[in-house]
Amino acid sequence: MTIRTLLVANRGEIACRIVRTARRLGIRTVAVYSEADRQALHVAVADEARAIGPAPARESYLSIPALIAAARDSGADAVHPGYGFLSENAGFADACREAGLSFVGPPPAAIRAMGSKSEAKALMEKSGVPVVPGYHGAEQGAKAFARATERIGYPVLIKASAGGGGRGMRIVRAPGELAAALESARREAESAFGDDRLLVEKYLDRPRHIEIQIFADSQGHAIHLGERDCSIQRRHQKVIEEAPAPGLDAARRATMGQAAVAAAKAIGYVGAGTVEFIADRSGAFHFMEMNTRLQVEHPVTEMVTGLDLVEWQLRVANGEALALTQDQVRLSGHAIEARLYAEDPARGFLPSTGRLVHLRFPAEDGRHVRVDTGVRAGDEVSVHYDPMIAKLVVWDRDRDSAVARLARALGECEIVGVANNAAFLGAIAAQRDFAAGETDTFFIARHEAELLAAQRESDPQSLAFAAVFVLLERAREAEEAASRSGDPHSPWHRTDGWRMNHAGSRTLRLGDGEQTREITVAYEGDGWRLGFGGASVPARGRFGADGGIEAEIDGARLSARVVRHGGELHVFAGRGVRRYAIDDPLALGGALEKDSGRLSAPMPGKVLKVLVSAGQEVRRGTPLLVLEAMKMEHTIAAPKDGRVKEIRFAAGDQVVEGAELLVFEATAP
Ligand code: MV4
């Protein structure tokens, strides 16, 4: 390896991921960090780290001069851009070359060729790769689109040529809608990408997103490493990816793989790349776009091929030939990746920020379970960067076993401090159509209500654990108070239920979603008898060594972990989180403020739309206002039935975090 020092021009889990492989290959690593990331994990794992600027990515992770200077100052000879940030910026690849650095990625010309969807489609068509029937020409007048649309047949999909992430996309179902759709798509494309060029395609019904991982070396060899199915997405954000694609047979895989390799060869590709296809219900597939970088979801390919794609990237950048020929590539078993995000499914998947006060992932075993993360307990999820907390990747011999393993592993994730989608992912893993492999890009949209309901389910065992935790905490507090008071035998410090007028019984109240659970506690021997939901169960417990609880509940030995945070108990017993609000008179102040209806901005952003007017009566859940923050749209909805008293901002206004957006009055408590 002639690469001796590698600058990792990224942050978070992918920076950590790249460092891991580089270290194994004996390459020295240099991390870069913004002011917000001084203490970040990716800085800690690298051999050296360089500050590159303030927290906003534009001034640090997207600053080409700052990155080139860090590479020069640290003596790096190569730069790995990771994904996102500058990974598909041809100018950055150029700047690396000019500075004498090897860019771990394709030639700048290949990045440029794939940067425009229209040009990419034209190129693919020319090299015989199937593309969705459509029009992607230079003539942008309404007439050209009308003519093309008549030829293709409705429904059609208008897309931004420079596009991505669904921006500038419009479905058109009838000729009368075309002109208006073109106009609004053009406006959105211009504002999102600074490029108003559009293309139009036949709109495929319930398509699957299947992508092929390709690799090419600088000697002209190119192969593919099979596919990934990334159909489980929400608003164009991938959520779950897997390899192989459910129901894809070897013949179709070979055909798609050959098409992807042809695409790579057509543009003189070098390095790792992904060719995205859209597949319709019949299995027919069409080129969508090519990503000229390593993908977030590359670990599922690594799990089924047994290869390290970052190692391959580094070897190719080093001028080595691919180590395998196409027929030496073996795919084995099934891998699934789930992306854990700091976002709140119950609040329209609003990104959540804050400190990860408690964080535990399932144990990695090098074969069945892998966790790629860039954070550890105590770290902050900030507004500045992507809210992904970790990628949980599982492998097993077949899809059914992998789905079961995914469900189990998700159940073992413990995240407290920021809202997160672990339970929502768990609900997907347990969903019947998902288990049957019946997925397409509208899976989440179709099942959203069911998935949201499933992730909220409570269960008696976790409720019992919450009660045991409260009782153990009280016992510990009483013991501590007793030892401080100098009279450890005072009856005031007894925790076995002895109280004047209490007859050894009491009631705990725990909030469980909209309900309040009452648990009666009677002291019995060295434990308790808990009464709830009509049942009466004996329980005993103690705190274990690592903060967990070991308990005997209704005759069963069980262990769990309970974390108290923000007026809630988070109960983890291996099947995901159950949350219970502590019925504490001191917490009432907060609850009252919530009821009085101050609806404030959860993060800094811009008001996009105000959907109600002052004085309007609304039902619980009615969308009131749309905020754009962290590059996504968030809907602020009515927390209860009530009335909008006042609106404090208008569309276009910038708001700071915590700014009161609307004054709301609930009609009933
Ligand atoms: C499509 C499609 C149907 N037909 N293309 C492109 C970007 C990706 N994030 C979603 N894309 C789609 N491209 C053709 N020819 C369906 C989608 C699609 C989608 C389209 C409109 C509204 C929501 C969607 C959700 C997933 C996929």
Side-chain angles (χ1 to χ4, degrees):
M1 185 72 66
T2 53
I3 298 176
R4 308 185 75 181
T5 300
L6 178 70
L7 183 101
V8 183
N10 213 300
R11 65 180 301 283
E13 66 90 15
I14 191 60
C16 296
R17 159 76 192 84
I18 294 163
V19 166
R20 184 159 16 103
T21 291
R23 162 142 320 131
R24 185 169 58 72
L25 299 179
I27 299 170
R28 192 170 78 93
T29 54
V30 180
V32 292
Y33 61 93
S34 73
E35 279 164 22
D37 278 342
R38 190 172 297 274
Q39 307 292 337
L41 185 60
H42 77 275
V43 172
V45 297
D47 294 306
E48 185 184 326
R50 300 256 159 188
I52 47 165
R58 186 171 9 90
E59 299 168 58
S60 48
Y61 298 106
L62 290 172
S63 166
I64 295 175
L67 290 162
I68 298 293
R72 190 192 50 227
D73 295 348
S74 58
D77 38 33
V79 174
H80 196 308
Y83 56 70
F85 293 136
L86 294 169
S87 59
E88 293 182 283
N89 184 310
F92 183 51
D94 283 334
C96 287
R97 297 249 158 121
E98 281 156 24
L101 299 158
S102 161
F103 177 77
V104 183
I111 302 178
R112 288 196 173 92
M114 292 297 122
S116 152
K117 279 189 181 169
S118 300
E119 283 164 48
K121 276 188 83 172
L123 243 162
M124 291 309 134
E125 232 170 0
K126 220 171 61 192
S127 37
V129 177
V131 302
V132 187
Y135 169 73
H136 43 263
E139 168 56 44
Q140 289 284 306
K143 277 227 183 80
F145 283 91
R147 228 177 298 122
T149 302
E150 289 315 316
R151 172 172 56 80
I152 310 161
Y154 288 91
V156 296
L157 189 61
I158 298 169
K159 296 180 177 179
S161 182
R167 303 241 254 168
M169 221 155 72
R170 296 287 183 282
I171 301 169
V172 184
R173 299 187 183 276
E177 301 167 7
L178 183 65
L182 280 170
E183 214 173 289
S184 77
R186 204 176 291 290
R187 254 196 324 271
E188 193 170 316
E190 174 62 42
S191 97
F193 311 109
D195 178 344
D196 72 354
R197 283 173 301 166
L198 302 174
L199 58 87
V200 63
E201 286 179 353
K202 177 84 194 160
Y203 180 64
L204 305 176
D205 179 40
R206 291 173 60 174
R208 286 161 71 195
H209 170 136
I210 299 179
E211 59 186 33
I212 302 276
Q213 175 71 54
I214 60 108
F215 247 100
D217 62 26
S218 49
Q219 285 83 350
H221 309 114
I223 62 169
H224 73 87
L225 302 177
E227 80 284 5
R228 296 182 286 258
D229 188 320
C230 310
S231 297
I232 307 287
Q233 45 180 282
R234 200 192 150 271
R235 301 222 181 149
H236 314 296
Q237 167 108 277
K238 291 174 187 169
V239 176
I240 290 184
E241 305 98 341
E242 58 184 302
L248 191 83
D249 61 36
R252 181 91 57 182
R253 172 171 306 115
T255 315
M256 289 180 86
Q258 281 155 18
V261 167
K265 289 195 164 158
I267 57 168
Y269 202 77
V270 179
T274 297
V275 182
E276 282 187 17
F277 293 101
I278 190 163
D280 70 16
R281 321 267 285 153
S282 73
F285 63 91
H286 315 272
F287 172 84
M288 291 275 283
E289 56 187 85
M290 180 167 181
N291 298 314
T292 55
R293 55 171 156 82
L294 191 68
Q295 303 262 114
V296 177
E297 59 273 20
H298 76 277
V300 294
T301 300
E302 297 188 319
M303 299 283 261
V304 297
T305 58
L307 304 171
D308 179 331
L309 300 197
V310 173
E311 174 178 351
W312 275 43
Q313 285 189 295
L314 293 167
R315 292 201 182 284
V316 167
N318 201 41
E320 297 176 34
L322 295 180
L324 298 179
T325 58
Q326 189 64 59
D327 48 316
Q328 289 173 321
V329 175
R330 292 268 174 277
L331 303 177
S332 150
H334 201 98
I336 312 178
E337 171 180 285
R339 300 190 190 187
L340 288 156
Y341 285 108
E343 64 183 16
D344 191 351
R347 297 170 67 200
F349 296 85
L350 183 77
S352 177
T353 57
R355 191 168 301 282
L356 292 158
V357 299
H358 174 83
L359 188 65
R360 278 176 92 107
F361 296 116
E364 295 186 81
D365 62 2
R367 181 174 163 84
H368 295 100
V369 179
R370 165 173 169 182
V371 181
D372 280 20
T373 186
V375 291
R376 49 228 195 292
D379 285 355
E380 191 92 32
V381 178
S382 78
V383 296
H384 300 295
Y385 314 112
D386 184 283
M388 194 166 75
I389 299 168
K391 305 186 306 206
L392 179 61
V393 198
V394 299
W395 178 92
D396 219 308
R397 52 200 298 179
D398 55 38
R399 189 172 187 276
D400 287 350
S401 314
V403 170
R405 199 176 280 282
L406 176 69
R408 214 174 316 138
L410 283 166
E412 291 171 7
C413 290
E414 302 177 8
I415 306 169
V416 180
V418 295
N420 66 84
N421 67 339
F424 186 77
L425 293 171
I428 296 175
Q431 207 277 345
R432 282 176 54 174
D433 289 356
F434 177 75
E438 283 163 19
T439 58
D440 58 69
T441 52
F442 293 94
F443 173 87
I444 290 183
R446 205 162 46 242
H447 299 291
E448 192 163 308
E450 174 195 344
L451 296 168
L452 288 171
Q455 59 147 11
R456 277 197 299 265
E457 273 169 22
S458 178
D459 66 303
Q461 195 188 91
S462 67
L463 189 63
F465 261 114
V468 167
F469 175 80
V470 171
L471 294 164
L472 287 176
E473 257 201 345
R474 285 190 185 167
R476 188 162 64 184
E477 280 161 19
E479 267 164 40
E480 284 166 8
S483 64
R484 276 198 305 274
S485 76
D487 177 10
H489 303 296
S490 159
W492 300 106
H493 300 310
R494 286 173 60 174
T495 58
D496 56 0
W498 183 94
R499 285 289 190 282
M500 270 182 288
N501 309 324
H502 269 255
S505 170
R506 57 191 313 166
T507 303
L508 296 175
R509 278 186 197 82
L510 294 171
D512 181 4
E514 301 283 281
Q515 306 180 47
T516 300
R517 307 272 179 203
E518 294 205 338
I519 304 143
T520 58
V521 182
Y523 294 80
E524 196 176 82
D526 60 349
W528 314 277
R529 180 160 286 275
L530 305 178
F532 55 90
S536 167
V537 300
R540 311 192 291 154
R542 62 183 186 83
F543 284 119
D546 60 350
I549 295 176
E550 275 148 35
E552 217 176 289
I553 298 172
D554 206 11
R557 283 282 283 120
L558 302 162
S559 56
R561 194 183 319 278
V562 180
V563 180
R564 178 201 281 272
H565 177 69
E568 279 187 326
L569 299 179
H570 297 241
V571 181
F572 301 101
R575 283 175 300 145
V577 70
R578 299 287 180 264
R579 286 156 50 191
Y580 299 100
I582 305 166
D583 186 31
D584 178 348
L586 290 177
L588 209 58
L592 281 176
E593 177 171 300
K594 225 184 340 191
D595 281 352
S596 78
R598 290 163 46 85
L599 291 177
S600 46
M603 60 191 66
K606 188 171 93 176
V607 175
L608 279 188
K609 268 183 240 159
V610 178
L611 304 164
V612 288
S613 44
Q616 190 174 331
E617 302 276 344
V618 291
R619 303 299 304 258
R620 186 168 104 93
T622 304
L624 305 176
L625 182 146
V626 183
L627 192 69
E628 185 188 60
M630 292 174 87
K631 299 195 201 97
M632 289 168 70
E633 292 184 12
H634 310 292
T635 304
I636 309 287
K640 295 200 174 330
D641 291 357
R643 198 172 67 91
V644 178
K645 277 184 73 176
E646 201 184 316
I647 297 164
R648 297 263 165 107
F649 292 94
D653 288 348
Q654 291 287 341
V655 295
V656 298
E657 183 174 348
E660 187 170 357
L661 302 169
L662 305 118
V663 185
F664 179 80
E665 187 177 54
T667 37

